[in-house]
């Protein structure tokens, strides 16, 4: 398939905000392409050259893309910059200027999908001296053979700003629709994806008609993390689970550790590799007695002098690229391991939690850095409540109750895990929301150009973001300065695509940064669009920012469905 043909589909996907329509268009594209084109096309639609956990990105800076566009369009760099100033998007600038190009260069041949992907791959692998020049050359070559529309997507991709607006759930629907015209295989595709986090590979096998049940956990393919449900009281938790494991809920950094033949990799909650940041965990993992394993835990920094754990905000400082040795000395980590998914060649995801826990305890025995999470087993709401209170008094976030007979449920929020957190006001949990805009300072805040945030949650049925809170408090002066600096860089001229909002902040921003927000309660409000029925939506009352969540991505935020369920829980709690 020619890349210009794929670009036509991309442009149709970009033009719609209906998730179903996006999937239908992507399905048409997947049906048309050859078997070997499925994988690269899926990566490209995701905005990547390879699965995200491999950490490859085309990574061309604006300055260099401008040079490539200038060369190919026959304009000066100044002209390219002037058009960019007007359009605000280098992809559109490339499209504009290539339209005006008199004729295609004689030597140029049209780009195929495979050629474009392999050039992106080469670009992403170049590093070191002279690499920028080599990247410009590869990009110019692609642009030489490109139609104006194609050039728009090539340039955006290389800048890491493809923004088609289609997410993994819609691509999964598209795959099923490409083969059957409906979503019947969505669960099977999702299961395979959750186990290997490589949608390109799953898509390739699926479109070739292969059996997806071959996908299982394997070292160095991160597993999409299991998520916790909520219930408001110990009584409801025991009513649901019966006799269960109740574990301390640590507020640190979630880590997935993979080991095979002496090699160790550590993946973040977002499944990015972060092995080099945590040398003490890596060496503790390689000292464990096993040939291969995948396990998960929450890492916390420990203050040896004061014999206490640092908070999430303090722990997260360890997520740094520099000064790792000093960090390791001042904030040594302990990993509270809470699940194991693979051991010595065997996938454990389908085993009962009680059995996985035994395997985990055996594996961690003898390590002082990797220790099993603290746990009690009970069927008594009273005992659960006492344990919960003890955890809170020790400065922990709460507890997670676990179904002893459940498998490891990758990538989903099911009742295998139920969290009970210390409450903020009437709410059973904090909310993770994405920043979609910000306000300018007023009064004493005029000194900063920052006066508050507009935040949204995700309606996972429509794929749209819906606003839930205008947040004006919870920030220190330092945080305000940092937020303003970060947000200024991702300002948008218009409301972000896929956002439903009645409010208009001073500046819109790309939905990129996730924050944890506490509030007194969830109320109904005509101002916000979350769960809108008629004119009324759900809103957070007295919202305050608790933390900036580098470890979570916009796909991981609280959903509208969860907000409605939190609202119902709030009513139940008040009634009891
Ligand atoms: P939340 O982020 O509030 O939805 O809570 C779920 C998170 O709690 C998980 O993603 C883990 O990072 C963290 N966590 C802390 N302690 C445990 C534990 N014992 N078992 C499972 N998850 C835990």
């Amino acid at each position: 398939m020619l890349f210009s043909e794929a670009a036509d589909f991309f442009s149709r996907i970009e033009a719609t905000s209906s998730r179903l329509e996006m999937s239908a268009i992507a399905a048409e594209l997947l049906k048309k392409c050859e078997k070997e084109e499925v994988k690269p096309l899926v990566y490209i639609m995701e905005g990547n050259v390879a699965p995200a956990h491999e950490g490859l990105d085309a990574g061309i800076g604006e300055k260099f893309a401008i040079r490539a566009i200038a060369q190919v369009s026959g304009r000066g760099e100044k002209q390219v910059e002037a058009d960019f100033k007007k359009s605000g998007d280098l992809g559109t600038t490339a499209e504009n200027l290539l339209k005006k190009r008199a004729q295609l260069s004689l030597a140029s041949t049209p780009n195929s999908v495979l050629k474009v992907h392999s050039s992106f791959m080469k670009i992403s692998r170049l590093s070191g001296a002279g690499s920028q020049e080599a990247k410009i050359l590869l990009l110019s070559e692609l642009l030489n053979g490109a139609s104006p529309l194609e050039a728009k997507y090539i340039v955006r991709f290389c800048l890491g700003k493809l923004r088609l607006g289609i997410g993994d759930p819609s691509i999964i629907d598209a795959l099923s629709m490409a083969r059957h015209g409906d979503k019947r295989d969505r669960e099977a595709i999702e299961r395979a994806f959750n186990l290997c986090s490589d949608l390109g590979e799953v898509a390739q096998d699926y479109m070739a008609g292969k059996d997806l049940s071959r996908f299982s956990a394997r070292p160095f393919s991160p597993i999409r993390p299991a998520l916790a449900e909520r219930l408001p009281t110990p009584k409801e938790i025991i009513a649901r689970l019966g006799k269960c494991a109740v574990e301390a809920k640590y507020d640190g950094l979630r880590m997935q550790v993979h080991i095979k033949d002496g090699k160790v990799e550590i993946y973040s909650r977002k499944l990015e590799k972060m092995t080099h940041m945590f040398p003490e965990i890596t060496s503790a993992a390689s000292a464990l007695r096993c040939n291969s394993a995948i396990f998960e835990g929450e890492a916390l920094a420990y203050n040896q002098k004061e014999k206490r754990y640092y908070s999430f905000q303090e722990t997260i400082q360890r997520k740094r690229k520099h000064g790792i040795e000093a960090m390791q000395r001042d904030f040594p980590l302990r990993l509270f391991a809470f699940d194991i998914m693979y051991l010595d060649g065997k996938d454990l995801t389908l085993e009962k939690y009680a059995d996985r826990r035994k395997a985990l305890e055996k594996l961690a025995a003898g390590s002082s850095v990797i220790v099993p999470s603290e746990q009690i087993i009970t069927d008594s709401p009273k005992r659960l409540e006492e344990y919960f209170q003890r955890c809170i008094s020790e400065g922990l976030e709460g507890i997670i109750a676990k179904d002893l007979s459940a498998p490891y449920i990758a990538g989903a929020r099911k009742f295998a895990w139920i969290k009970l957190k210390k409450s903020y006001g009437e709410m059973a949990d904090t909310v993770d929301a994405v920043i979609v805009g910000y306000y300018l300072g007023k009064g004493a805040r005029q000194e900063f150009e920052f006066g508050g945030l507009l935040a949204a949650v995700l309606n996972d049925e429509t794929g749209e973001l819906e606003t839930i809170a205008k947040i004006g408090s919870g920030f220190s002066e330092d945080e305000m300065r940092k937020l303003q600096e970060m947000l200024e860089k991702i300002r948008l001229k218009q409301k972000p695509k896929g956002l439903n909002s009645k409010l208009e902040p001073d500046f819109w921003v790309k939905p990129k940064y996730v924050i944890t927000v506490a509030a007194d309660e969830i109320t109904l409000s005509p101002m916000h669009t979350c769960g809108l029925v008629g004119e009324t939506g759900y809103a957070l009352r007295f919202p305050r920012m608790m933390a900036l969540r580098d470890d979570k991505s916009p796909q991981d935020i609280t959903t509208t469905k969860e907000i409605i369920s939190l609202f119902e829980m709030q009513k139940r709690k008040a009634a009891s």
Side-chain angles (χ1 to χ4, degrees):
M1 177 183 276
L2 289 180
F3 193 71
S4 57
E5 200 179 340
D8 286 334
F9 282 97
F10 293 168
S11 138
R12 286 170 57 202
I13 291 175
E14 204 194 339
T16 174
S17 57
S18 148
R19 197 165 138 183
L20 190 65
E21 211 175 305
M22 266 182 212
S23 295
I25 301 166
E28 234 184 281
L29 167 62
L30 289 163
K31 264 201 292 201
K32 275 201 151 175
C33 64
E34 301 294 328
K35 277 195 191 106
E36 67 278 11
E37 290 165 344
V38 172
K39 192 167 168 173
L41 260 176
V42 166
Y43 293 147
I44 291 174
M45 281 196 278
E46 287 183 304
N48 296 325
V49 275
H53 57 262
E54 287 186 12
L56 290 173
D57 70 66
I60 289 192
E62 271 172 7
K63 214 169 72 191
F64 300 102
I66 288 173
R67 223 185 278 167
I69 298 168
Q71 274 172 20
V72 176
S73 64
R75 311 274 155 153
E77 283 179 37
K78 288 255 149 30
Q79 272 174 296
V80 179
E81 278 164 18
D83 192 283
F84 176 33
K85 235 187 196 145
K86 262 193 274 159
S87 72
D89 164 34
L90 259 185
T92 306
T93 288
E95 185 182 20
N96 288 343
L97 298 182
L98 260 65
K99 265 186 200 155
K100 293 180 193 152
R101 180 173 58 174
Q103 61 183 83
L104 279 178
S105 139
L106 288 177
S108 71
T109 40
N111 299 314
S112 68
V113 165
L114 291 181
K115 154 116 193 274
V116 171
H117 180 260
S118 96
S119 298
F120 287 163
M121 202 68 171
K122 281 186 205 149
I123 290 175
S124 70
R125 291 210 165 115
L126 284 166
S127 66
S131 64
Q132 287 301 342
E133 292 307 319
K135 285 182 183 188
I136 297 176
L137 199 67
L138 281 161
L139 176 58
S140 307
E141 236 174 68
L142 283 180
L143 293 179
N144 243 331
S147 71
L149 185 68
E150 199 182 330
K152 170 162 105 179
Y153 293 112
I154 289 174
V155 168
R156 280 191 189 164
F157 186 93
C158 289
L159 294 170
K161 295 182 175 168
L162 187 66
R163 287 195 302 251
L164 291 183
I166 188 165
D168 289 337
S170 307
I171 300 178
I172 291 175
D173 285 345
L175 284 162
S176 179
M177 286 155 80
R179 274 190 50 196
H180 300 294
D182 58 33
K183 298 185 196 172
R184 77 181 72 168
D185 283 343
R186 113 151 263 141
E187 242 177 70
I189 301 169
E190 203 169 20
R191 182 198 157 273
F193 174 51
N194 284 339
L195 283 172
C196 70
S197 306
D198 184 342
L199 196 50
E201 190 184 337
V202 174
Q204 176 177 272
D205 276 18
Y206 178 73
M207 290 306 286
K210 288 193 192 150
D211 178 13
L212 293 187
S213 64
R214 80 163 179 95
F215 280 89
S216 61
R218 57 177 194 228
F220 311 125
S221 288
I223 300 171
R224 292 171 44 87
L227 303 171
E229 271 291 355
R230 311 170 178 84
L231 281 175
T233 60
K235 211 168 138 198
E236 285 195 38
I237 293 177
I238 296 294
R240 178 101 199 189
L241 296 181
K243 188 170 163 189
C244 58
V246 183
E247 296 180 9
K249 183 174 192 303
Y250 305 94
D251 191 13
L253 273 176
R254 185 169 184 163
M255 287 182 186
Q256 201 177 100
V257 181
H258 290 229
I259 307 171
K260 191 169 179 206
D261 300 332
K263 182 180 164 197
V264 175
E265 293 285 6
I266 302 174
Y267 299 92
S268 71
R269 198 181 187 290
K270 286 200 262 187
L271 309 182
E272 295 158 339
K273 253 185 227 170
M274 45 178 197
T275 318
H276 63 288
M277 294 178 199
F278 309 109
E280 71 271 48
I281 308 271
T282 310
S283 55
S286 38
L288 294 177
R289 265 205 234 140
C290 66
N291 180 261
S292 58
I294 304 176
F295 61 90
E296 233 183 352
E298 192 86 357
L300 272 185
Y302 188 61
N303 184 331
Q304 267 150 333
K305 249 197 230 143
E306 296 172 24
K307 303 247 173 306
R308 69 170 179 93
Y309 293 103
Y310 285 105
S311 67
F312 170 76
Q313 294 287 28
E314 288 163 313
T315 297
I316 200 149
Q317 295 190 61
R318 282 293 309 263
K319 231 183 135 214
R320 280 214 204 148
K321 293 202 173 84
H322 307 290
I324 289 168
E325 267 172 35
M327 276 283 158
Q328 185 185 351
R329 188 187 60 228
D330 299 339
F331 297 92
L333 291 178
R334 190 168 283 180
L335 182 68
F336 292 94
F338 55 71
D339 217 319
I340 182 161
M341 299 84 114
Y342 185 92
L343 185 62
D344 288 333
K346 192 164 172 239
D347 179 343
L348 302 183
T349 54
L350 295 175
E351 309 263 316
K352 287 184 189 152
Y353 180 53
D355 295 338
R356 295 203 306 280
R357 172 78 189 193
K358 273 189 213 136
L360 182 64
E361 284 174 4
K362 200 166 151 210
L363 180 68
S367 176
S368 57
V369 175
I370 298 170
V371 293
S373 53
E374 200 189 280
Q375 178 190 81
I376 61 163
I377 308 278
T378 186
D379 59 0
S380 147
K382 185 160 167 277
R383 179 91 181 82
L384 195 157
E385 171 74 32
E386 283 164 8
Y387 184 67
F388 170 74
Q389 292 302 346
R390 208 194 88 205
C391 288
I392 301 289
S393 69
E394 284 175 10
L396 296 171
E397 259 200 307
I399 56 97
I400 301 209
K402 298 185 175 174
D403 183 342
L404 288 163
S405 57
Y408 183 87
I409 302 175
R413 201 178 291 281
K414 295 259 167 74
F415 280 94
W417 291 5
I418 305 176
K419 60 181 161 177
L420 184 65
K421 282 177 40 178
K422 68 178 171 221
S423 57
Y424 302 91
E426 296 304 310
M427 284 174 64
D429 199 358
T430 50
V431 168
D432 291 326
V434 67
I435 303 173
V436 292
Y438 68 102
Y439 295 85
L440 293 176
K442 288 200 188 89
R445 290 225 182 131
Q446 248 159 2
E447 181 199 336
F448 308 103
E449 252 195 74
F450 176 80
L453 301 169
L454 182 63
V457 292
L458 175 71
N459 183 327
D460 61 351
E461 267 159 26
T462 60
E464 288 206 323
L465 294 171
E466 301 176 338
T467 73
I468 186 155
K470 212 175 131 175
I471 304 154
S473 63
F475 325 105
S476 64
E477 284 190 6
D478 258 5
E479 273 172 332
M480 277 197 244
R481 233 174 252 121
K482 188 173 161 206
L483 277 166
Q484 192 212 317
E485 252 175 53
M486 285 162 40
L487 296 175
E488 211 171 47
K489 291 194 192 118
I490 53 165
R491 273 189 203 168
L492 297 175
K493 287 196 172 142
Q494 294 145 0
K495 184 163 75 85
K497 190 183 168 210
L499 168 70
N500 191 356
S501 178
K502 293 187 192 176
L503 294 170
E504 175 104 12
D506 291 318
F507 296 106
W508 294 112
V509 295
K510 182 178 163 193
K512 175 173 179 187
Y513 295 113
V514 176
I515 51 174
T516 295
V517 187
D520 279 6
E521 59 175 336
I522 299 175
T523 53
L524 295 172
S525 149
M527 307 282 281
H528 288 285
T529 52
C530 171
L532 207 58
V533 178
E535 282 303 298
T536 316
Y538 294 87
L540 299 180
R541 201 164 94 95
F542 297 133
R544 51 228 178 243
M545 188 177 98
M546 304 293 285
L548 184 66
R549 298 296 301 257
D550 276 351
D551 60 326
K552 290 198 175 177
S553 57
Q555 295 100 278
D556 301 328
I557 60 176
T558 307
T559 61
T560 301
K561 248 191 259 151
E562 290 179 81
I563 295 291
I564 298 172
S565 130
L566 278 168
F567 183 70
E568 295 302 323
M569 272 182 224
Q570 186 179 290
K571 282 201 284 190
R572 287 210 302 277
K573 211 171 160 192
S576 71

